[in-house]
Amino acid sequence: MSAITYKTIALVGNPNCGKTALFNLMTGARQKVANYAGVTVERKVGSLRLKNGQTLSVVDLPGAYSLSPATPDEEVTLQVIEGRRPGEAAPDVIVAVVDATNLRMNLRLVLELLRMGRPVVVAVNMADVARAQGLKLDLQRLELELGCPVVETIAVQQKGHLQLVELLEARFEAYLSTQRPSLGMPAPASPEALQRDVRRILAAVLSGNENRGRFQHRLDAVVMHPVWGLLVLATVLFLIFQAVFSWAAYPMDAIKDLMAATGEWTMTQMPEGPLRSLLVDGVIAGVGGVLVFLPQILILFFFILLLEDSGYLPRAAFLLDNVMGKVGLSGRAFIPLLSSFACAIPGIMATRTIANWKDRLATIMVAPLMTCSARLPVYALLIGAFVPERTVGWFDLRGLTLFGLYVAGVLSAMAVAWVFKRVWMKSSYQPLMLELPPYRMPSMRNLGLGLWERARIFLRRVGGIIFALMVLLWFLSTYPAPPAGWTEAQGPAILYSVAGMMGQTLQHVFSPLGFNWQISIALVPGMAAREVAVGALGTVYSLSAADNAMADALSPVIAQGWSLATAYSLLAWFVFAPQCLSTLAVVRRETNSWRYPLLMAAYLFALAYAAAFVTYRTTLWLGA
């Protein structure tokens, strides 16, 4: 066996070809995700350990249809392949991943890669799906036509990458040193000639069932129907929000019990003093109050990943294109807006796939109205405190309430987009052209890795920004101490602190909404990250407690201390709540202007205040 002299492998392929699934299979948990310097395009790098003990670096490049860049993703892919990204050498080997069920589209990119004269391996992915559809692919003939190694991969199977790894480990260097005949020619420059070459190769290597898409066409006739398709989409989203509450109940209770036991143990093991108060009232009550919502966030991400992996999301985007176009949004906005359910930041980043600047800007401006996972802890806290735990027919009442809040966010986004279209960003409707991937069975491995990555990101936020803010809030809520001779009858000690005085000042601004000084305090760190508002309430109420006990059961505390009108008002506030600072910073970077993040913050604050005011006064008027 010859010694391996190459170090870096780059995976290149069309979107939805299974490239990322193959990357996950090759690298497992040995991977990291970041952004390429200067852009918001995601960068995934992992390591592949070979049997001989050597480790290769594997790069999952952004999906591309062509090496003539039309999107930032394609531009980054070309730059990396050519070695033009600062500080990043060109990959030694390119693995071109193609979808065996859609070779007509995928082979164009392969021919362009071969035209560059770089070492290329073609990985024919989803070969099992192609066989199930009755397709027969002659891999040996394809290898001769392309003049490069061709292997079969099945990225959804545990050992579906072994042929590729074997080639990279044992045969590829020998292949590079041997001149092999090629029946095909390098990819021509013109798209027409390129497509002729693709048709010639397909005629030589592919045979089988020409009507393999009948089942998918019948399914598409339902899920993309203008009436039935919308009902299917609404049902899917409705069931997701039902599951967020019903499935998460037991793990959330377990986390609550663990945090309560941790707080009690800390109280018994440490003497009374500032350090114990910091740990119990600041760290455990604050950070623990946010950590308890991790199960709900993971359930939401699970379903989003499931829909994405199955091929349903592009169909939902196409289905909604006409509806969204009427309110001033492109159909391409659907996936960025759905990504905003998880977090507004990736949703705003995903708008870079929208070529038209006005469509992209409209999507950026309304993306914060989608109910992101940062709002979920606040919603769950208030719903758990004020919505009875019972069912209405087959449905969980709390799940119904959460679904209603998400619908409110969607309708608000559409209403704002409609106003923008008619008042500010006037543009004509452009129909969406979109390649629909085949339906697939989602890979449990990919789902697991995706959930692990998102859990790690959430825990990093809890251990980073949220922890730091909770410690800072504890100091502001503890110092200065009450004056000499103070007694608990004069009120909680926190009222004398910096945070207490700030809360009492802000209460004058927010009292028309029914917000007390504790809520007013929590809104301030919530500007850094909205889920911090829950931790801030936990810390403030812990320090406000007459017996100085940890408020480990925050829901009962606010249920007893707040009116229903205040709870509904706070829910309305967070439907429109001004974005966290990191989101505004991303908007500044994406638009290259301070005008748009400032406008976003201003209109969201105005909407949030107006919605909370109307909700509070209406609820009081109804006698609640």
Side-chain angles (χ1 to χ4, degrees):
M1 182 185 300
S2 60
I4 293 177
T5 58
Y6 52 96
K7 303 290 186 182
T8 305
I9 302 167
L11 302 185
V12 183
N14 291 178
N16 303 306
C17 70
K19 175 175 57 65
T20 299
L22 184 61
F23 172 79
N24 290 336
L25 191 60
M26 295 173 70
T27 62
R30 301 182 298 274
Q31 58 179 264
K32 58 182 179 180
V33 181
N35 284 346
Y36 284 97
V39 296
T40 57
V41 178
E42 193 172 68
R43 182 178 190 269
K44 292 183 179 179
V45 180
S47 57
L48 171 64
R49 295 175 184 172
L50 303 178
K51 292 180 180 179
N52 63 6
Q54 190 162 358
T55 299
L56 302 179
S57 177
V58 183
V59 181
D60 181 15
L61 291 180
Y65 291 107
S66 168
L67 294 183
S68 300
T71 67
D73 285 11
E74 292 180 341
E75 178 65 35
V76 166
T77 294
L78 180 61
Q79 289 176 354
V80 173
I81 292 173
E82 294 181 337
R84 292 189 288 114
R85 292 295 303 177
E88 186 167 355
D92 299 307
V93 179
I94 296 171
V95 176
V97 185
V98 300
D99 178 358
T101 67
N102 193 15
L103 287 177
R104 187 177 301 276
M105 175 69 72
N106 287 235
L107 282 181
R108 289 186 297 184
L109 179 61
V110 174
L111 293 178
E112 287 185 295
L113 291 169
L114 291 171
R115 184 168 176 258
M116 299 179 71
R118 303 297 307 283
V120 175
V121 175
V122 174
V124 180
N125 197 37
M126 293 185 279
D128 57 330
V129 179
R131 283 191 290 269
Q133 294 178 354
L135 294 173
K136 296 179 181 179
L137 179 62
D138 188 339
L139 295 183
Q140 291 183 343
R141 181 62 185 269
L142 181 61
E143 188 169 293
L144 288 172
E145 289 285 344
L146 297 175
C148 69
V150 176
V151 294
E152 177 183 296
T153 60
I154 304 175
V156 296
Q157 293 184 4
Q158 186 174 3
K159 298 182 179 181
H161 65 309
L162 292 185
Q163 289 187 38
L164 175 60
V165 174
E166 177 189 336
L167 185 145
L168 292 171
E169 185 174 36
R171 297 195 288 122
F172 189 60
E173 277 192 285
Y175 192 100
L176 290 177
S177 63
T178 303
Q179 293 293 327
R180 301 192 59 176
S182 172
L183 300 181
M185 297 294 292
S190 73
E192 295 80 8
L194 180 64
Q195 193 59 36
R196 283 198 302 269
D197 224 20
V198 169
R199 287 196 294 267
R200 177 184 59 78
I201 294 174
L202 287 176
V205 304
L206 189 64
S207 62
N209 180 16
E210 294 294 330
N211 299 315
R212 61 189 181 275
R214 288 180 180 175
F215 170 74
Q216 300 207 40
H217 291 325
R218 288 197 296 267
L219 193 55
D220 279 345
V222 176
V223 301
M224 297 178 65
H225 189 276
V227 177
W228 304 119
L230 290 175
L231 290 177
V232 169
L233 178 60
T235 301
V236 167
L237 295 177
F238 177 78
L239 293 176
I240 289 174
F241 301 126
Q242 288 287 307
V244 165
F245 269 94
S246 56
W247 291 11
Y250 291 113
M252 288 181 68
D253 288 341
I255 295 175
K256 287 179 184 178
D257 293 341
L258 176 62
M259 301 309 298
T262 303
E264 292 174 1
W265 182 85
T266 305
M267 292 281 286
T268 58
Q269 296 298 315
M270 295 184 65
E272 185 176 355
L275 180 58
R276 189 180 80 172
S277 176
L278 171 62
L279 292 176
V280 175
D281 300 324
V283 176
I284 297 175
V287 174
V290 178
L291 188 63
V292 72
F293 300 104
L294 176 61
Q296 293 180 321
I297 291 172
L298 289 183
I299 289 171
L300 179 62
F301 272 115
F302 169 79
F303 282 105
I304 291 177
L305 291 170
L306 191 71
L307 295 176
E308 183 178 16
D309 212 21
S310 68
Y312 176 70
L313 284 189
R315 289 167 169 82
F318 192 85
L319 173 69
L320 291 175
D321 178 57
N322 188 40
V323 176
M324 298 176 73
K326 292 178 180 177
V327 298
L329 292 170
S330 164
R332 289 192 180 275
F334 174 72
I335 293 179
L337 292 179
L338 188 63
S339 300
S340 297
F341 278 171
C343 178
I345 292 176
I348 291 170
M349 290 178 178
T351 63
R352 302 200 74 171
T353 60
I354 303 175
N356 183 283
W357 168 245
K358 288 186 176 181
D359 289 342
R360 184 182 172 213
L361 184 58
T363 308
I364 289 174
M365 296 301 290
V366 303
L369 290 168
M370 311 305 286
T371 303
C372 65
S373 60
R375 289 182 173 103
L376 190 55
V378 181
Y379 287 169
L381 173 67
L382 295 173
I383 292 172
F386 291 94
V387 177
E389 188 175 0
R390 61 185 179 85
T391 58
V392 178
W394 293 94
F395 307 115
D396 181 86
L397 183 58
R398 293 178 173 179
L400 284 170
T401 305
L402 181 63
F403 178 71
L405 290 169
Y406 272 76
V407 170
V410 173
L411 294 179
S412 300
M414 296 180 72
V416 171
W418 184 86
V419 172
F420 281 167
K421 179 181 180 180
R422 281 151 181 78
V423 176
W424 182 28
M425 295 178 290
K426 299 180 180 180
S427 62
S428 59
Y429 169 66
Q430 298 177 341
L432 175 64
M433 297 182 65
L434 186 68
E435 180 197 357
L436 298 179
Y439 290 103
R440 306 187 186 100
M441 284 297 295
S443 166
M444 291 300 106
R445 178 184 178 85
N446 290 338
L447 289 176
L449 287 172
L451 288 177
W452 166 247
E453 181 63 28
R454 282 151 182 80
R456 188 167 61 179
I457 292 172
F458 178 79
L459 292 174
R460 191 161 57 234
R461 284 173 65 87
V462 170
I465 183 173
I466 296 177
F467 175 83
L469 287 171
M470 290 304 97
V471 172
L472 175 62
L473 182 61
W474 177 85
F475 274 103
L476 294 177
S477 302
T478 304
Y479 299 102
W486 167 84
T487 63
E488 291 183 355
Q490 297 174 274
I494 189 176
L495 290 176
Y496 296 90
S497 67
V498 172
M501 290 184 283
M502 183 186 303
Q504 292 176 82
T505 301
L506 290 176
Q507 188 177 4
H508 296 295
V509 177
F510 293 110
S511 60
L513 314 183
F515 296 175
N516 57 24
W517 62 270
Q518 290 100 329
I519 298 175
S520 301
I521 293 176
L523 293 180
V524 176
M527 282 296 296
R530 275 180 287 191
E531 61 266 49
V532 175
V534 174
L537 285 172
T539 297
V540 170
Y541 274 99
S542 291
L543 295 169
S544 301
D547 57 357
N548 203 32
M550 183 186 72
D552 53 72
L554 187 56
S555 288
V557 171
I558 65 174
Q560 294 175 6
W562 297 1
S563 67
L564 187 61
T566 294
Y568 285 176
S569 175
L570 190 56
L571 281 174
W573 171 272
F574 273 98
V575 168
F576 302 96
Q579 281 297 287
C580 58
L581 297 178
S582 56
T583 301
L584 296 177
V586 169
V587 174
R588 161 66 179 84
R589 184 175 63 187
E590 292 297 307
T591 61
N592 196 31
S593 170
W594 279 111
R595 174 188 178 188
Y596 300 110
L598 292 176
L599 175 63
M600 175 185 288
Y603 97 77
L604 289 174
F605 182 88
L607 284 179
Y609 198 97
F613 180 84
V614 171
T615 302
Y616 181 67
R617 298 298 168 182
T618 302
T619 308
L620 290 178
W621 178 72
L622 293 174

